[in-house]
Amino acid sequence: MNYSDLAGRLAQIGERIARHSEKLEGEILGRSAGKLASQLDRFEEHLESHLASRKSRELFLENLLRSPASKRHLTIALLKRASREVGGKRLKSEDLAAAKREFIHLVHGAGKQDQAVQFLKEVFAEAVHVESGGKEKTLLQREFINLGQLLDEDFAKEISARSIAELRRVAAVNGIRFTDKTNRQRLTTLIRRYAQRAAFNVPAARVASSD
Amino acid sequence: MSSKVLAFINFKGGVGKTATVVNIAATLAALHEKKVLIVDLDPQSNSSLWLMRPDRWREHVARGRRSTFQIFDDALQGKNRFDFDEALVKGVITWTGLTDLPRLHLLPAALELLRIEDRIHELRPSAIYQILDSALGMQFKQYNYVLLDCPPNLYSTTKTAIFSADSCIVPYVPDYLSLSGFQVLAEQVTEMREKFAPYLPGRRRPNIGALIVSHYRQTGNVFRLAVNELELSMAALREAGVLSEQTVLLQPYVRHCVRVAESTSEHLPVILYAPGSIGAQDYADLTQRFVDLFETKK
Ligand SMILES: Nc1ncnc2c1ncn2[C@@H]1O[C@H](COP(=O)(O)OP(=O)(O)OP(=O)(O)O)[C@@H](O)[C@H]1O
Ligand SMILES: [Mg+2]
């Protein structure tokens, strides 16, 4: 059911009640009507506050604070910053849930819903920004494909010309997992294996990089 | 309204086309206050069934009339029976029994779409490409985003989607079978660009704008190596002129999350069904990157 279905239904019921109002009587119907009326009171209250435009911004702010983005990125430190920058006040709460409530209260009191929403949106946008690996990454990926195409002897020569730090960079950029304890020999084996795999799995890259 | 029309394509099945369409659309509507239209073009009707209870869907699309099937049937019969407003489903129904996400609209699919591919070749190829764009192009302008959920093939319905799109998005599961498929897919899209060009005067030809990794798992080397091979392949395809310089691999990668799978049975996007789950968080971050990609790059 959507809200226009509900509206249609209420209009229809209203009309029927009006048409038959003189015939309506008895305890069962009366009690049910009483319940409906008090439910309607509550519904009207929610409806009113939702329709007031400020209220819909309040609701959006509350949704944003409950959102998956908040769950991942919102810290108490950020909320304290938001509170200072948006509301000019310090938050007293020390746990996140309480701080959120305090923040909402403060923002609503100051009528700064729009600013608070904007602040949070910017914070969430910044939080997911990732640096692309840039040129360095592209070069190390190309090097990886090239290594994968070499015959054993040439590969050994290329590897021996590199420091362990350089080998680590090639491995790390190309998705090979290793630890601080992984020695040069093991790292060489891993690079050999996966670089060869990449060279035959991505034949287009092979052609492109060998010309 | 400046709208972005995006076709979610991959001829490999089960790679998360529908999951990305449904969950990015819902997140755009819920957290970014965007008006979003999902157009379900797959006879499997997966995005329709993700967002509608089956009884309600069956009733709504009875005989295919209030579904995307009618658009293609009209083109074949030379009729005009499709009515956008009647076919449109606004919002999703939550456990309260009432609708939520009023900014999210859906044009559902129907099983009758299965019959379209056999008959559609009665039309000229150029007439086929333009079916969706002619029927819905004007309506698309009411939305900030239009997401086209395509079937797992590159047949006619998908071609109409690519034709009407500003850009294509390729959901991708990191393994070798997807990798080999992607190289072919990129070539096919490039070929289509050439074929479409004469019919798209003054408009940008659709390209692959982004890849989205789905079903990611952080265990061990496996997925990192597979994503690296995808990046190597993308670089090579760029050099060969098959992919454009602008094509990006969007992050974060969407991880496998049981709440996402479960949300299909509840007929809700994961942001409504389990807003605290890893899945909802991954889609929230991904949607942010999506907005950055399409709204800052002008
Ligand atoms: N992040 C996720 N975590 C867990 N399960 C997922 C996730 N994303 C998708 N799925 C599940 O994986 C399956 C395939 O996903 P989906 O239907 O989105 O792929 P598709 O590419 O649209 O498939 P088709 O090619 O059939 O249209 C679905 O059953 C879905 O519930
Ligand atoms: Mg699908």
Side-chain angles (χ1 to χ4, degrees):
Chain A
M1 179 171 53
N2 62 31
Y3 284 94
S4 66
D5 296 338
L6 180 65
R9 195 162 161 210
L10 288 174
Q12 221 173 18
I13 291 177
E15 203 222 333
R16 281 187 83 193
I17 296 174
R19 193 150 26 101
H20 301 289
S21 59
E22 288 182 3
K23 282 188 269 174
L24 302 180
E25 60 187 341
E27 190 183 330
I28 293 176
L29 188 65
R31 239 195 262 148
S32 174
K35 267 194 217 144
L36 179 65
S38 68
Q39 288 274 351
L40 280 175
D41 285 344
R42 232 176 306 155
F43 180 69
E44 269 190 297
E45 212 175 288
H46 287 299
L47 185 66
E48 277 316 316
S49 69
H50 186 82
L51 292 179
S53 75
R54 214 188 81 164
K55 183 67 185 184
S56 80
R57 292 319 281 166
E58 284 177 17
L59 279 176
F60 186 70
L61 175 63
E62 286 167 28
N63 278 340
L64 215 48
L65 286 168
R66 265 198 306 267
S67 72
S70 264
K71 170 125 188 188
R72 180 165 292 170
H73 303 298
L74 194 65
T75 58
I76 189 138
L78 271 173
L79 212 51
K80 288 191 168 180
R81 207 181 95 208
S83 172
R84 276 198 311 275
E85 290 185 21
V86 174
K89 291 224 174 90
R90 276 176 185 286
L91 291 184
K92 292 187 204 72
S93 315
E94 288 302 333
D95 87 286
L96 191 56
K100 280 188 193 177
R101 280 193 300 274
E102 198 187 340
F103 181 67
I104 290 172
H105 189 72
L106 184 148
V107 168
H108 292 352
K112 299 254 171 141
Q113 292 81 2
D114 282 335
Q115 292 88 328
V117 164
Q118 192 57 32
F119 182 94
L120 290 176
K121 280 187 168 178
E122 278 165 21
V123 163
F124 296 157
E126 267 166 42
V128 302
H129 184 78
V130 282
E131 292 300 325
S132 77
K135 271 231 170 71
E136 152 115 342
K137 178 169 176 180
T138 314
L139 287 176
L140 289 171
Q141 284 181 318
R142 191 167 299 183
E143 194 176 327
F144 190 61
I145 281 278
N146 288 338
L147 286 171
Q149 290 170 252
L150 297 174
L151 299 173
D152 286 344
E153 211 172 291
D154 296 330
F155 178 79
K157 219 187 289 168
E158 281 291 326
I159 290 293
S160 64
R162 287 171 169 78
S163 69
I164 181 117
E166 285 173 316
L167 294 182
R168 285 202 168 122
R169 273 209 301 281
V170 173
V173 160
N174 289 285
I176 296 173
R177 269 251 274 261
F178 56 89
T179 65
D180 291 346
K181 294 206 194 84
T182 311
N183 61 24
R184 188 177 176 99
Q185 194 194 349
R186 173 79 186 139
L187 204 55
T188 305
T189 310
L190 288 171
I191 292 176
R192 181 71 178 144
R193 163 146 190 242
Y194 290 114
Q196 276 183 333
R197 188 182 107 174
F200 59 69
N201 278 348
V202 192
R206 210 156 66 179
V207 176
S209 61
S210 59
D211 60 23
Chain B
M1 190 177 291
S2 90
S3 55
K4 275 277 163 210
V5 183
L6 305 168
F8 285 66
I9 57 165
N10 198 332
F11 59 5
K12 185 156 176 49
V15 293
K17 292 180 287 299
T18 301
T20 356
V21 165
V22 164
N23 291 298
I24 287 185
T27 310
L28 282 169
L31 299 188
H32 297 267
E33 303 176 272
K34 304 288 180 193
K35 274 201 81 179
V36 188
L37 174 67
I38 294 175
V39 182
D40 191 350
L41 294 168
D42 186 356
Q44 298 181 85
S45 309
N46 283 170
S47 46
S48 313
L49 284 164
W50 194 319
L51 295 172
M52 293 171 87
R53 264 178 32 186
D55 48 346
R56 189 168 156 250
W57 168 76
R58 250 191 308 274
E59 187 197 316
H60 186 88
V61 304
R63 290 178 306 282
R65 210 179 54 72
R66 289 185 290 181
S67 80
T68 52
F69 160 77
Q70 195 60 51
I71 297 170
F72 294 93
D73 192 55
D74 281 0
L76 278 163
Q77 316 254 3
K79 291 199 174 132
N80 232 332
R81 293 200 297 177
F82 177 74
D83 181 325
F84 181 79
D85 294 312
E86 272 190 7
L88 201 62
V89 176
K90 297 179 180 174
V92 291
I93 296 187
T94 68
W95 57 270
T96 61
L98 273 149
T99 47
D100 203 345
L101 297 184
R103 294 185 192 84
L104 176 63
H105 293 180
L106 162 75
L107 270 186
L111 296 175
E112 281 81 354
L113 273 170
L114 275 173
R115 302 204 307 258
I116 291 296
E117 286 297 340
D118 293 335
R119 293 159 54 206
I120 205 157
H121 297 286
E122 297 162 18
L123 301 172
R124 278 173 297 119
S126 65
I128 300 177
Y129 306 153
Q130 298 177 64
I131 293 176
L132 199 63
D133 197 50
S134 318
L136 298 178
M138 287 306 289
Q139 314 286 356
F140 287 171
K141 294 195 197 316
Q142 305 170 43
Y143 296 90
N144 299 112
Y145 287 92
V146 177
L147 310 187
L148 310 170
D149 187 11
C150 296
N153 60 53
L154 288 178
Y155 303 147
S156 304
T157 346
T158 306
K159 286 195 179 117
T160 67
I162 298 176
F163 183 92
S164 54
D166 298 304
S167 189
C168 301
I169 310 292
V170 179
Y172 182 94
V173 174
D175 68 12
Y176 179 68
L177 302 184
S178 292
L179 183 68
S180 67
F182 174 66
Q183 299 175 8
V184 180
L185 179 74
E187 285 161 8
Q188 291 286 315
V189 172
T190 307
E191 233 172 76
M192 273 183 229
R193 277 164 65 80
E194 300 308 319
K195 283 199 192 133
F196 293 168
Y199 309 101
L200 287 170
R203 238 184 70 185
R204 252 183 59 192
R205 287 180 272 162
N207 206 337
I208 295 180
L211 282 89
I212 287 175
V213 170
S214 192
H215 295 76
Y216 193 81
R217 287 177 207 252
Q218 253 147 347
T219 45
N221 261 346
V222 182
F223 286 81
R224 302 199 314 161
L225 287 163
V227 168
N228 190 55
E229 284 174 10
L230 172 63
E231 287 181 335
L232 292 169
S233 172
M234 288 174 68
L237 291 168
R238 267 188 213 114
E239 256 176 69
V242 175
L243 270 193
S244 107
E245 290 297 325
Q246 275 83 43
T247 307
V248 295
L249 176 58
L250 271 192
Q251 296 208 36
Y253 310 139
V254 178
R255 284 166 288 179
H256 184 87
C257 167
V258 70
R259 293 299 214 176
V260 173
E262 195 176 30
S263 70
T264 66
S265 310
E266 302 287 338
H267 308 285
L268 288 173
V270 71
I271 193 173
L272 290 189
Y273 175 61
S277 65
I278 291 290
Q281 293 177 35
D282 283 350
Y283 282 115
D285 282 358
L286 184 65
T287 305
Q288 181 68 55
R289 298 299 310 278
F290 201 78
V291 169
D292 294 343
L293 179 68
F294 290 110
E295 297 185 21
T296 48
K297 185 187 79 184
K298 273 279 139 61

